[in-house]
Amino acid sequence: LTSIFELDTPHLLIDLDATDRNIARARSYCREHGYNFRPHIKAHKMPEIAGLQVAAGAVGICCQKIGEAEVMVEAGIVENVLVTYPIVGEEKIKRLARLAERCRLTVAADSSIALENVFRAAQLANVEIGFLVECDTGGRRLGAQTPSEAAALALEASSEPGIAFRGLMTFPTSPGTRPFFEETCELLGDRAVEAAILSGGGTPTLYRTHELGGVNEVRAGEYVFGDRAHLTNGVIPAEDIAVAVSATVVGRPTADRAIIDCGSKTLSSDIMELADGAPRDLTMGLVKEFPEARIVGLSEEHGHVDLKNCSERPRIGDRVTVMPNHVCSCVNLHDVAALHRSGKVEEIVRIRARGKIR
Amino acid sequence: LTSIFELDTPHLLIDLDATDRNIARARSYCREHGYNFRPHIKAHKMPEIAGLQVAAGAVGICCQKIGEAEVMVEAGIVENVLVTYPIVGEEKIKRLARLAERCRLTVAADSSIALENVFRAAQLANVEIGFLVECDTGGRRLGAQTPSEAAALALEASSEPGIAFRGLMTFPTSPGTRPFFEETCELLGDRAVEAAILSGGGTPTLYRTHELGGVNEVRAGEYVFGDRAHLTNGVIPAEDIAVAVSATVVGRPTADRAIIDCGSKTLSSDIMELADGAPRDLTMGLVKEFPEARIVGLSEEHGHVDLKNCSERPRIGDRVTVMPNHVCSCVNLHDVAALHRSGKVEEIVRIRARGKIR
């Protein structure tokens, strides 16, 4: 295989040149501002891409589910693995213990129950496991609700044998992060406990971290490939969007409608969550070759394309490339990705952590 | 493994008793009204379930992508395979030819180009391939736009050596189906061409087919497991919804909020497309054990559960089962399903056609 245009469609395409530029941009930003950078592998799920990120100076990696971390550790990425997910359930404790035997591991959580489970895994493995307290600094997902709640859990972690309390973590970095982290650190300072890691995250605020402040480590996933949401929000320039899905026009039932062979089982149903205040965008991706075309809906295997604003219109058999709304959900639907440079395929790579939901 | 409650979470669960009842209901409905029934495997993607459907008297199966059909044929389901998708592209033609050598195959399409591709596959394989003309009888996706357009393509198919013109197909069966099919059949009758198969589809209208009329074959996929959309629309009774995802409460950051360990990578982001006129429902699933709880949003691996209307509230570590909005997108995210009866696991089955997007 030499060209992406020879691949059967639909096919996930990853532009390695754009990927390199995205990795370099995040690296130089973090170097300039003195942040440690920790890529979140949920966006790409490929040890090959994690390897590029680590080679570019990442402090380690971040995983959401234990299953994702298992894949990365199996592939040799063992230096500094952060699992930003509460460990709950007996099976998870056993798997965390096995993981801790094989890598330098840190886990984030926001409850005494989840902390206790990390402690039990450390006992089982007879190794030390790092711990971060997850703080809700505005994201309203998980996280200690107040600095005193966060400090109490941090103190609990510091007193556990087998647990190395390493700091605080939040998602996303927001205007609330700095005051929350500062106040928590003060409370901990009074007890002579240090939060060495202050970890914030999220691609939307990645390049504004210095304005928001309060953190010394930045986690991001989507920055590596970008997607239509990050293009629209101005976080990643158009030429650096590395992810696309190649598709074929399989029908032209009317003058104004084309059907392409990628639907919600290929692109995901994720709509664009735009900036605060902007309305949600219910369209489903950008057709690069026909920029006036709009994907107005997705069946499972059909992309419904409205051509009414198009001066030139695609014919049955034409190849198009579609930029997905949300890279993470899209990548997770594919067994393989074609890694290419300027359209020349370098490698077809299995997306090894795809579907690792446990 | 004996109980679904011993499986690590999140896990896809399929209730075989409910599945049996759904299969029996569709069978008796179709027998009563004299319809052939053809299950669409896109909903379950498991040859094991297709086997149950065929054993219950299905006339054959329906697949969307060639990759799905390849999996089913490999598993021995070869009697009567319908691919309701236009074949476009050289690689697809070759794969269709190989498929035609291994099963009794029919393909639907709505263009001369796609018909020509079926003809080329038939030539390559040196076997006859059946052909249905896809008609747009109101669905506004693919399909010939008028009876005369449909008849013209049918006549073209009838004149091709290697192609066996077998009839008309539409999705979904709607009030427009009967007049469209009748008019097309009249036009064909004038030319002494018979449309033996008149195939309609879609679970929402499955049990109203006799009211809508115009078809002699019914295709349906979601009927076999149901989901929250079909529960809400009244098509499948609550006790017969066979699909669920088991999850664990991993966080209780506030009194009103629980976080469960299934998100959009486990349930999909599909919102509910309710009946015409009803507003879209943006909530993401039903928590069976806490019916007053509402899943108000999904991160990739977090389900955000609003508990404010709950009298009883779940604790960290509690197991819950979630009914997904849309069964097809949900099943397609899972590598395996636990097939169970009354919560006792009979088999962990690999979802072999998952991700077969080509």
Side-chain angles (χ1 to χ4, degrees):
Chain A
L1 289 168
T2 54
S3 158
I4 53 172
F5 299 107
E6 293 169 45
L7 298 170
D8 197 10
T9 63
H11 206 294
L12 184 66
L13 309 175
I14 300 296
D15 179 338
L16 285 175
D17 291 323
T19 301
D20 288 344
R21 290 193 295 273
N22 291 329
I23 290 174
R25 183 187 308 110
R27 170 201 191 146
S28 69
Y29 174 83
C30 288
R31 288 204 172 170
E32 183 187 339
H33 294 282
Y35 299 130
N36 285 323
F37 183 67
R38 185 186 294 276
H40 202 313
I41 65 85
K42 63 151 192 156
H44 55 71
K45 298 216 172 212
M46 290 176 257
E48 292 81 355
I49 303 295
L52 298 178
Q53 293 170 316
V54 168
V59 70
I61 61 166
C62 177
C63 302
Q64 206 74 308
K65 295 291 182 97
I66 295 179
E68 293 175 330
E70 287 167 344
V71 167
M72 295 296 150
V73 167
E74 179 68 31
I77 298 167
V78 299
E79 283 311 310
N80 186 336
V81 177
L82 170 63
V83 174
T84 47
Y85 209 84
I87 303 304
V88 181
E90 293 305 309
E91 185 64 23
K92 293 281 193 319
I93 294 169
K94 285 182 219 159
R95 288 169 63 204
L96 193 73
R98 289 196 294 269
L99 196 65
E101 290 166 357
R102 301 169 65 201
C103 69
R104 181 164 182 274
L105 184 65
T106 302
V107 179
D110 69 344
S111 68
S112 296
I113 293 172
L115 168 61
E116 181 67 19
N117 290 344
V118 178
F119 168 69
R120 288 180 51 203
Q123 279 195 309
L124 269 176
N126 199 26
V127 297
E128 190 177 67
I129 301 179
F131 189 80
L132 302 181
V133 173
E134 179 163 1
C135 302
D136 181 351
T137 68
R140 305 283 170 259
R141 192 164 73 183
L142 286 170
Q145 293 296 298
T146 61
S148 60
E149 214 181 292
L153 189 59
L155 291 172
E156 203 180 322
S158 319
S159 69
E160 294 264 30
I163 299 282
F165 170 70
R166 294 198 173 124
L168 310 177
M169 170 247 148
T170 194
F171 175 84
T173 310
S174 74
T177 301
R178 183 178 185 150
F180 193 112
F181 277 8
E182 281 181 355
E183 198 178 327
T184 308
C185 287
E186 270 174 45
L187 293 170
L188 290 176
D190 294 345
R191 304 287 293 269
V193 168
E194 194 207 1
I197 297 172
L198 299 169
S199 182
T203 295
T205 56
L206 165 57
Y207 298 111
R208 295 194 288 121
T209 305
H210 64 289
E211 295 166 21
L212 296 163
V215 308
N216 59 23
E217 173 180 291
V218 177
R219 308 183 316 282
E222 297 167 0
Y223 86 100
V224 71
F225 295 155
D227 55 23
R228 186 164 165 245
H230 292 299
L231 173 71
T232 307
N233 287 332
V235 177
I236 316 268
E239 64 274 19
D240 291 350
I241 306 297
V243 63
V245 170
S246 62
T248 299
V249 176
V250 295
R252 279 298 314 281
T254 72
D256 283 347
R257 191 194 314 150
I259 299 292
I260 56 179
D261 63 352
C262 60
S264 63
K265 283 176 172 168
T266 301
L267 294 171
S268 93
S269 296
D270 284 16
I271 58 173
M272 283 212 290
E273 301 287 351
L274 298 176
D276 279 356
R280 286 180 168 189
D281 183 332
L282 294 170
T283 62
M284 305 307 289
L286 192 69
V287 184
K288 287 189 194 171
E289 291 78 3
F290 298 90
E292 298 123 336
R294 288 177 73 236
I295 303 181
V296 291
L298 299 178
S299 305
E300 288 159 47
E301 307 289 2
H302 302 73
H304 300 238
V305 188
D306 181 351
L307 305 175
K308 68 170 177 291
N309 295 322
C310 295
S311 40
E312 210 186 334
R313 296 177 181 211
R315 292 169 307 176
I316 293 175
D318 279 1
R319 291 291 202 103
V320 296
T321 41
V322 177
M323 186 188 297
N325 280 351
H326 183 195
V327 60
C328 306
S329 305
C330 175
V331 166
N332 187 53
L333 290 167
H334 293 260
D335 286 333
V336 295
L339 310 185
H340 71 95
R341 291 187 192 275
S342 304
K344 291 214 162 186
V345 177
E346 298 219 330
E347 200 180 352
I348 304 285
V349 165
R350 195 159 68 83
I351 301 172
R352 278 187 262 176
R354 179 209 54 73
K356 298 300 181 191
I357 53 176
R358 285 184 278 273
Chain B
L1 290 168
T2 54
S3 158
I4 54 171
F5 300 106
E6 293 167 46
L7 298 170
D8 197 10
T9 63
H11 207 293
L12 183 67
L13 309 175
I14 300 296
D15 179 338
L16 285 176
D17 291 323
T19 302
D20 288 344
R21 291 193 294 273
N22 291 328
I23 289 173
R25 183 186 309 110
R27 169 199 191 148
S28 70
Y29 174 82
C30 288
R31 288 204 171 173
E32 183 187 339
H33 294 282
Y35 299 130
N36 285 323
F37 183 66
R38 184 187 295 277
H40 202 314
I41 66 84
K42 62 151 194 156
H44 55 71
K45 298 214 172 214
M46 291 176 257
E48 292 81 356
I49 303 295
L52 298 178
Q53 293 170 316
V54 169
V59 69
I61 61 166
C62 176
C63 302
Q64 207 73 308
K65 295 291 181 96
I66 295 179
E68 293 174 330
E70 286 167 345
V71 167
M72 295 297 149
V73 167
E74 179 68 31
I77 298 167
V78 299
E79 284 312 308
N80 186 336
V81 177
L82 170 62
V83 173
T84 47
Y85 209 84
I87 303 304
V88 181
E90 292 305 310
E91 184 65 23
K92 293 282 194 317
I93 294 169
K94 286 182 218 158
R95 288 169 63 204
L96 192 74
R98 289 195 294 269
L99 196 65
E101 290 165 355
R102 301 169 65 200
C103 69
R104 180 162 182 274
L105 183 65
T106 303
V107 178
D110 69 343
S111 68
S112 294
I113 293 172
L115 168 61
E116 180 67 19
N117 290 344
V118 178
F119 168 68
R120 287 181 52 203
Q123 279 195 308
L124 269 176
N126 198 27
V127 296
E128 191 178 66
I129 300 179
F131 189 79
L132 301 181
V133 173
E134 179 163 0
C135 303
D136 181 351
T137 68
R140 306 283 170 261
R141 191 164 74 183
L142 285 170
Q145 294 296 298
T146 61
S148 59
E149 214 181 293
L153 189 60
L155 291 173
E156 202 180 322
S158 319
S159 69
E160 294 264 32
I163 298 282
F165 171 70
R166 294 196 173 126
L168 310 177
M169 170 247 148
T170 193
F171 175 84
T173 309
S174 74
T177 301
R178 183 177 185 152
F180 194 113
F181 277 8
E182 281 181 353
E183 198 177 326
T184 308
C185 287
E186 270 172 45
L187 292 170
L188 290 176
D190 294 345
R191 304 287 293 270
V193 168
E194 194 206 1
I197 297 173
L198 299 169
S199 181
T203 294
T205 56
L206 165 57
Y207 297 111
R208 295 195 289 122
T209 305
H210 64 290
E211 295 166 23
L212 295 164
V215 308
N216 59 23
E217 173 181 292
V218 177
R219 308 183 317 281
E222 298 166 359
Y223 86 99
V224 72
F225 295 156
D227 55 23
R228 186 166 165 245
H230 291 299
L231 174 71
T232 307
N233 286 333
V235 178
I236 316 266
E239 63 274 20
D240 291 349
I241 306 297
V243 63
V245 170
S246 61
T248 300
V249 176
V250 295
R252 280 296 316 278
T254 72
D256 284 346
R257 191 193 314 150
I259 299 292
I260 56 179
D261 64 352
C262 60
S264 63
K265 282 176 172 169
T266 301
L267 294 171
S268 93
S269 297
D270 284 16
I271 58 173
M272 282 212 290
E273 302 286 353
L274 297 177
D276 279 355
R280 286 181 167 188
D281 183 332
L282 294 170
T283 62
M284 305 306 290
L286 191 69
V287 183
K288 288 190 195 171
E289 292 77 4
F290 298 89
E292 297 123 336
R294 288 178 73 236
I295 303 182
V296 291
L298 300 177
S299 305
E300 288 159 47
E301 307 289 2
H302 302 74
H304 301 239
V305 188
D306 182 351
L307 306 174
K308 68 171 176 290
N309 295 323
C310 295
S311 40
E312 209 186 334
R313 296 178 181 211
R315 292 168 308 175
I316 293 174
D318 279 0
R319 291 291 202 103
V320 295
T321 40
V322 177
M323 186 188 297
N325 281 350
H326 183 195
V327 59
C328 307
S329 306
C330 175
V331 166
N332 187 52
L333 290 167
H334 293 259
D335 286 332
V336 295
L339 310 185
H340 71 94
R341 291 187 193 274
S342 305
K344 290 214 162 186
V345 177
E346 298 218 331
E347 199 180 352
I348 305 285
V349 164
R350 195 158 69 82
I351 302 172
R352 279 186 261 176
R354 180 208 54 73
K356 298 299 181 190
I357 53 176
R358 285 184 278 273

